[in-house]
Amino acid sequence: MSETSKMVKSDIEIAQDALLKPIGEIAAQLGLDENDWEPYGRYKAKVSANTLNKMSDYPEGKVILVTSINPTPAGEGKSTVTVGLGQALNKINRKAVIALREPSLGPTMGVKGGAAGGGYAQVVPMEDINLHFTGDFHAITTAHNALAAFLDNHIHQGNALNIDPRRIVWKRVLDLNDRALRHVIVGLGGVANGVPREDGFDITVASEIMAILCLSENLDDLKTRLGSMLIAYTYERKPVFVRDLNVEGALTLLLKDAIHPNLVQTLENTPAFVHGGPFANIAHGCNSVLATKMGAKLGDYVITEAGFGADLGAEKFLDITTRAGHFKPSTVVIVATIRALKMHGGMTKDELKHEDIDALAHGMENLACHIDTIKSFGLPYVVAINHFIFDTDREVAYVENWCRAHNHPVALANVWEHGGEGGKELAQLVVDTIENQENHFKPLYKLTDSIEEKIQTVVTKVYGGKAVDYSSKAKKQIKAFIKNGWDQFPVCIAKTQYSLSDNPKLLGRPKDFTIHVRELKVAVGAGFIVVMTGNVLTMPGLPKHPAALNMDIDQNGKVIGLF
Amino acid sequence: MSETSKMVKSDIEIAQDALLKPIGEIAAQLGLDENDWEPYGRYKAKVSANTLNKMSDYPEGKVILVTSINPTPAGEGKSTVTVGLGQALNKINRKAVIALREPSLGPTMGVKGGAAGGGYAQVVPMEDINLHFTGDFHAITTAHNALAAFLDNHIHQGNALNIDPRRIVWKRVLDLNDRALRHVIVGLGGVANGVPREDGFDITVASEIMAILCLSENLDDLKTRLGSMLIAYTYERKPVFVRDLNVEGALTLLLKDAIHPNLVQTLENTPAFVHGGPFANIAHGCNSVLATKMGAKLGDYVITEAGFGADLGAEKFLDITTRAGHFKPSTVVIVATIRALKMHGGMTKDELKHEDIDALAHGMENLACHIDTIKSFGLPYVVAINHFIFDTDREVAYVENWCRAHNHPVALANVWEHGGEGGKELAQLVVDTIENQENHFKPLYKLTDSIEEKIQTVVTKVYGGKAVDYSSKAKKQIKAFIKNGWDQFPVCIAKTQYSLSDNPKLLGRPKDFTIHVRELKVAVGAGFIVVMTGNVLTMPGLPKHPAALNMDIDQNGKVIGLF
C-alpha cells in the first residue's frame, strides 16, 4: 500500500506532459500519403474514407475486441486497457492500431468528466477529444435536428404527404444531459409557429444518424441509409421515409466531414482512430466500421472497443457491427477489475479498500457470465485484470487461480501505472491466443429468426435470463413491423448497463429473471430494431453537482477538470 | 445584354475551380509564425487570439467598414463587394485583410444557400465556410444549451438559489430555422423530467454568447462576460447570473477554440478572417473584435463587414463594437445595386429586367438616408455601385450623376464578374478618401443618456422616424433595468432589415413613422440592451421549398446546391 502515499499525477496532468508527435508523423508511420488525410490542429487528423479503396489488396489485420464485465461505480477501465494493449503490442514489436469511440459531451459535463483512457494509457490531446474534437457529434446533431425542422416545415406548409403529427417517430437531439427536454410540446404560440404536437429530445449518441455513421461503408452507403430512415406515418398509417422529403442529399452533405475517421495518438505515440460514439445501452455502442476497417488495413492488429459490458457492446458488435462491416474478430479481451468484481460480490463502494476474498469469489460469477457469452459466439478470449494500486496480492492471486482453474487465459494489466510496459504480458497472451486458439465465430441468431426469437436468444444466452415480457404496445409494434417487412433486422436491445437483467440493482449473476420490453423502434437506415427494456432512458439527466462545476481554463489556455 | 447569353458559371463552380494556396502560405504572407496558428484542413486555420499580445507595437491598419442600403430580394452583394474590395486593394499594391462573419446554417439550409460572397469575389473553401466551418457556432450552441441544462438541473436538484421558473430569461438555441421550436413547454412527463415551464429556442446567432464571443478581447474577458450573463430572477425578483451557478469556467472551456479567429483566403488568395456571425437584425451583426483587430495589425487595411443595411449592422458597429474593441473606422463603404434601388423605388422583383429611371430616382432616397447616417457619425464614406450584368448604361449613369451632384464619392464595382481587377477604381477611391477626407468619428449617443434617449436618437438620426411607442411590458422592463443599474449600456435594436421602419413593407425612405418597442432584453455579459421592435423574430422559419432540397454531395465528395 506504499503507493498510496506517493504523489499521483492526474490524468490531465499526465496528458499535458506528454510528448506528442505531429499528426503527420503518425500518419506517415501508418503508411498514409499527405493526400489521404487532413489536419485538425497539429495533433488530430481526419483520414479520408476513400483511402480504403486503395487499400483493398492490403492484408487484413487481426480484429481484437475489448469488452468487460458489467460496469460499476468502481470503474473497470476498459478504454484504459484498450489503449494500454495497443501500446503494449507495439512494445513487443507488433504493429497495432487502436479504434475507440468519441466521448459524448453529456456525460463529460455530467458525471464522467472525460473518456479517453486513464493514467499512462490515454489517447491525446485529451482536452480536445473530450470536448468538441473534430465536430462529428455536432454535425450529427445538426443533421438530426435539420431533418426534424424539415419535417415540421413540411406539415406547416401544406402537408402534401398527409403526415399524422401524432405519429411522428423522429425526435430531436442534443449532445447534452438535459432531462427537461425528454418530453416537450413544440409548435405553440399560434399559427405562425407550426402545428402543436408532443415531441422530445434524445442525447445525440442515441440518434439513428450516429448509428448510421458508424455502420456505413462509404458516402453512398451513408446517403442510402439516411434516405431509408423512418420518420413518421401518414393518417393512413403508411410509413414516411426521409427520401419522401427529398432531403437525404442535404443530410449527407452535413455529414461530409464527419464520415472520415479521426486519427490521434496515445501517450506512447501509438496510432488511434477515435470515431463515432453510440452508447451501448441505448444504441449499438461501437466505433465506426470505417475506423475499425482502416485500423485493420493499416495495422497487423486493430484493438477495437465496444461499450459497457459484453451483454451490451460486445453482443451488438458481434451481432450487428460485424454483419454491417463484413469482418470477423480474432479474439476478445474481457476486462475486469478486482474492485468491480467485489462490488458484484456485494460490497459497497466505500468498503472496497478492504480485502474481501469472499465478496470477490461471489463477484466472479459476473465475469463467468460474460466469458460464457463470448464462448457462445465461438470466439477465443483472454481475461485482462486491470490492476488498481489498492488491489492486494491475495486478491490478485485469487482471480488468477480462479481463471486457471477454469482454463480461462488471464493476464494482469498494469497499463494505468506503467503504460505499454505494464501490458506486455497481456499483449503476448493476446497474440498467442490468436495464433493458437480455434475461432468458430458466428453471430448468435439468424436474421430470419422472428423478432421474439432474436430477443429470447440474447436474453437466454447472453443475459442468462429466463422469460421476456412484452407490453401491449410492444406487441402491437412487432405486428406492425412484420407487416412492413422490418422483421429481418438484428435486434439492438436498450438495457441498463449495470446489471445483466433490466434492473440496475441486480449485480453479480442474477438468474431466472424476466426482461420487460416496453417498446420498440425500427431504425430502417441503421438496419436494426431498438428494443427498449426496463426503464432505460434515451436522454440522461445531470447529477446534483455536475462535473462541469470543476472545469475551467486559464488565460493561457491551460485546462482543468477533465479526467 | 449580350452577356446574358454567355455561359455563366455558378458561384460553387467558380469556387471549386479556384487555385487555393495552402493556408500556411497565407499565414506566412501575413507574417505569422508556425506557432501562431493551427490548421483545420489544408485551407483553413485558427490564429491564436494570443498573437495579438505580441503585435501590441505593430502599427494599426486602417479599418474600412462595409455596409449597404436596406436589403431587398434583388440582392445587394455586400459580402461580394467586401471580398472584391480586399482583392482590389491588393491589385493596387496595398496590403489588405478582409474580416467577415461566419454564415449561419439556418438561412443556408433555408433561403440563402450560402454567404461567402459571389462570382469572382468569394472566400474559399466556400463549402466548408457555409457548413460547419471550424465548429464555432456548434461550440456556442453547446455552451448556450449546456447553461440551460445547468439552470434547469439547479431547479430540479433543490433550487438553492430560489429561482422562479416563470422568470427564466435564458432560452435554448439551435443553428437552424425551426419555427416549431419558437415556443415550447419543457419538463413534461413527471417528476423525473424536471419542472414544467414555458421555454423557447432562438437561432444560435441571436445567442448572447455569440455576441460575447464577438466582443471579447481575450479569454479572460470572455470568462468575465460569460459569468455576468443574466439568466433568471428569484422569487424575490433578484437577478441571477451565470456566476451564481458557478459554471462560467465550463462555458469558457467549451469556447476555448471558438475564440480564435478563422483564417481563410479569397479566390485571389487575399487573407480573410471569418469569425463570429451575429445577425444584424436581432443582434449586433458584426464579426469579432478579435478578427477585425487582427486584420488591422496584420494588414495596412482591414475591410470589415457589418450585417444588413447601415440602419442595423453599421449603426451597431459604430455604437457598440467600436466601444468594445476600442477602434476607430477610417471610412465606410456603402454598397448599393441598381436592382435594389429600383425595388426601393417601387418595382417588383419580376419587373427588374426593364430599365426604369423613375423608379431608380425614387429608390435613391433609401441610399440617401444611409449616407446621412454615416455622416451623422462624422465619418468619410464612399458609395459602391455593385454592378449587375443586367444594369443598363443609362441607369448606371443616372446613379453616378446623382452621387456627383450631391458630392458623394462613388465608384462602380465589377468584382462579381472580374474579381479584384473589377474593383480597382473603388479601391483607389477608398484609399484617397481615407487619405484626404476629414474624420470626426464619434458614436451617436452617450452611454449616460437614458435608455429612451438612446433609442430615440437612433430612431431619429438613423431610421428617419418620428416617435417611439413602448408597450406596457417594455415600460416596466425599462424601470427594472434602471433599478438594477443596467441603463448605462448601449442599445442593440432588433428590427426588420427590409425597411428603415419596423414595418418590412415600407421600402424607400419612409417618413414620420413610429417605432414600436415590444420588449427589451438586457445582455449584461455582452454589454447591451436588446430592444425588440415590430414583429421581428429571433427564430426564423423555413420556406415552402428550402434551399436544402437542392443540396447534394456525390460519392467523390463533390458538393452541389450551395451558392
Side-chain angles (χ1 to χ4, degrees), chain A residues 518-557:
Chain A
R518 197 171 79 218
E519 67 175 296
L520 295 91
K521 269 181 60 179
V522 64
V524 182
F528 54 65
I529 292 168
V530 181
V531 182
M532 310 283 290
T533 70
N535 297 314
V536 68
L537 292 168
T538 50
M539 171 54 99
L542 287 167
K544 184 151 189 173
H545 293 281
L549 298 186
N550 303 321
M551 293 178 189
D552 204 356
I553 180 167
D554 73 13
Q555 62 195 32
N556 302 313

Side-chain angles (χ1 to χ4, degrees), chain A residues 3 6 118-120 387-389 414-419:
Chain A
E3 284 145 314
K6 77 178 172 187
Y120 290 89
H387 190 46
F388 266 59
I389 51 177
N414 261 311
V415 296
W416 185 88
E417 201 178 351
H418 298 298

Side-chain angles (χ1 to χ4, degrees), chain A residues 33-44 50 105 109 127-128 131-132 135 138-139 141-142 145-146 148-150 152-153 156-158 172-189 191-195 199 201 219-220 223 245-250 252-257 537 541-546 548-549 551-557 559-560 562, chain B residues 33-44 50 105 109 127-128 131-132 135 138-139 141-142 145-146 148-150 152-153 156-158 172-189 191-195 199 201 219-220 223 245-250 252-257 537 541-546 548-549 551-557 559-560 562:
Chain A
D33 289 345
E34 279 252 329
N35 295 326
D36 295 336
W37 58 277
E38 285 214 316
Y40 277 65
R42 304 274 170 201
Y43 304 108
K44 296 161 286 181
N50 295 336
L105 269 170
M109 292 281 136
E127 297 96 326
D128 293 349
L131 296 172
H132 310 290
H138 295 319
T141 302
T142 303
N145 293 328
F150 296 139
D152 274 316
N153 187 55
H156 177 74
Q157 304 278 5
R172 288 172 163 90
V173 296
L174 283 181
D175 188 25
L176 289 170
N177 287 8
D178 194 346
R179 67 171 67 72
L181 293 178
R182 280 177 193 150
H183 193 176
V184 302
I185 295 177
V186 301
L188 296 171
V191 172
N193 297 350
V195 177
D199 195 7
F201 284 72
L219 208 57
D220 259 10
K223 198 192 291 180
L245 287 181
N246 196 23
V247 294
E248 67 272 29
T252 309
L253 180 56
L254 286 168
L255 299 169
K256 78 180 177 62
D257 301 313
L537 292 168
L542 287 167
K544 184 151 189 173
H545 293 281
L549 298 186
M551 293 178 189
D552 204 356
I553 180 167
D554 73 13
Q555 62 195 32
N556 302 313
V559 174
I560 62 165
L562 295 173
Chain B
D33 289 345
E34 280 253 328
N35 295 326
D36 295 335
W37 57 277
E38 286 213 316
Y40 278 65
R42 304 273 170 201
Y43 305 107
K44 295 162 287 177
N50 296 335
L105 269 169
M109 292 280 136
E127 297 95 328
D128 293 351
L131 295 171
H132 310 291
H138 295 319
T141 302
T142 303
N145 293 329
F150 295 140
D152 274 316
N153 187 55
H156 177 75
Q157 303 278 4
R172 289 171 162 89
V173 296
L174 282 181
D175 187 24
L176 289 171
N177 287 10
D178 193 346
R179 67 171 66 74
L181 293 179
R182 281 176 193 152
H183 193 177
V184 304
I185 296 177
V186 301
L188 296 170
V191 172
N193 297 352
V195 176
D199 196 7
F201 284 72
L219 208 57
D220 258 11
K223 198 192 290 179
L245 285 181
N246 197 24
V247 294
E248 68 272 29
T252 309
L253 180 56
L254 286 168
L255 300 169
K256 78 178 176 64
D257 301 314
L537 291 168
L542 287 167
K544 185 151 189 174
H545 292 283
L549 298 185
M551 293 179 188
D552 204 356
I553 180 168
D554 74 12
Q555 62 195 31
N556 301 315
V559 174
I560 60 162
L562 295 173

Side-chain angles (χ1 to χ4, degrees), chain B residues 252-297:
Chain B
T252 309
L253 180 56
L254 286 168
L255 300 169
K256 78 178 176 64
D257 301 314
I259 195 176
H260 304 302
N262 306 297
L263 179 65
V264 292
Q265 63 193 291
T266 72
L267 292 173
E268 297 178 5
N269 313 121
T270 305
F273 288 107
V274 180
H275 194 219
F279 282 179
N281 53 348
I282 53 180
H284 76 286
C286 310
N287 63 72
S288 78
V289 159
L290 285 168
T292 294
K293 276 194 157 175
M294 217 173 253
K297 285 292 188 181

Side-chain angles (χ1 to χ4, degrees), chain A residues 159-364:
Chain A
N159 200 8
L161 289 170
N162 203 28
I163 292 167
D164 184 346
R166 303 163 306 175
R167 290 201 170 82
I168 291 173
V169 295
W170 190 256
K171 292 162 76 179
R172 288 172 163 90
V173 296
L174 283 181
D175 188 25
L176 289 170
N177 287 8
D178 194 346
R179 67 171 67 72
L181 293 178
R182 280 177 193 150
H183 193 176
V184 302
I185 295 177
V186 301
L188 296 171
V191 172
N193 297 350
V195 177
R197 65 179 186 87
E198 290 189 59
D199 195 7
F201 284 72
D202 290 335
I203 189 164
T204 299
V205 288
S207 168
E208 182 175 354
I209 297 181
M210 175 70 81
I212 286 178
L213 189 91
C214 291
L215 293 169
S216 292
E217 299 200 277
N218 52 49
L219 208 57
D220 259 10
D221 187 19
L222 180 74
K223 198 192 291 180
T224 307
R225 287 173 178 268
L226 291 171
S228 305
M229 294 193 298
L230 175 75
I231 49 178
Y233 294 88
T234 66
Y235 282 104
E236 300 83 31
R237 312 247 180 133
K238 273 180 52 188
V240 179
F241 303 97
V242 169
R243 58 177 172 266
D244 298 321
L245 287 181
N246 196 23
V247 294
E248 67 272 29
L251 300 186
T252 309
L253 180 56
L254 286 168
L255 299 169
K256 78 180 177 62
D257 301 313
I259 194 176
H260 304 303
N262 306 298
L263 178 65
V264 292
Q265 61 192 293
T266 74
L267 293 173
E268 297 177 4
N269 314 119
T270 305
F273 288 106
V274 180
H275 194 219
F279 282 180
N281 52 350
I282 53 181
H284 76 285
C286 309
N287 62 72
S288 78
V289 159
L290 284 168
T292 294
K293 276 194 158 174
M294 217 173 254
K297 286 292 187 181
L298 296 172
D300 298 326
Y301 299 86
V302 60
I303 306 109
T304 192
E305 183 199 18
F308 294 125
D311 52 330
L312 291 171
E315 185 273 315
K316 291 164 183 173
F317 182 87
L318 299 170
D319 278 324
I320 298 173
T321 313
T322 58
R323 291 197 235 237
H326 309 289
F327 47 64
K328 176 180 159 176
S330 293
T331 193
V332 180
V333 176
I334 308 168
V335 178
T337 59
I338 284 168
R339 290 156 58 83
L341 289 167
K342 280 155 76 180
M343 285 195 78
H344 277 293
M347 291 179 86
T348 66
K349 200 179 169 188
D350 293 338
E351 299 167 339
L352 290 177
K353 270 170 263 173
H354 308 296
E355 181 179 284
D356 188 336
I357 303 294
D358 268 5
L360 184 57
H362 271 96
M364 297 310 290

Side-chain angles (χ1 to χ4, degrees), chain A residues 33-74:
Chain A
D33 289 345
E34 279 252 329
N35 295 326
D36 295 336
W37 58 277
E38 285 214 316
Y40 277 65
R42 304 274 170 201
Y43 304 108
K44 296 161 286 181
K46 278 199 168 277
V47 180
S48 169
N50 295 336
T51 58
L52 274 170
N53 299 336
K54 74 172 190 189
M55 296 178 199
S56 55
D57 57 348
Y58 287 26
E60 291 284 343
K62 305 292 183 190
V63 176
I64 302 165
L65 175 67
V66 180
T67 183
S68 78
I69 60 172
N70 289 97
T72 70

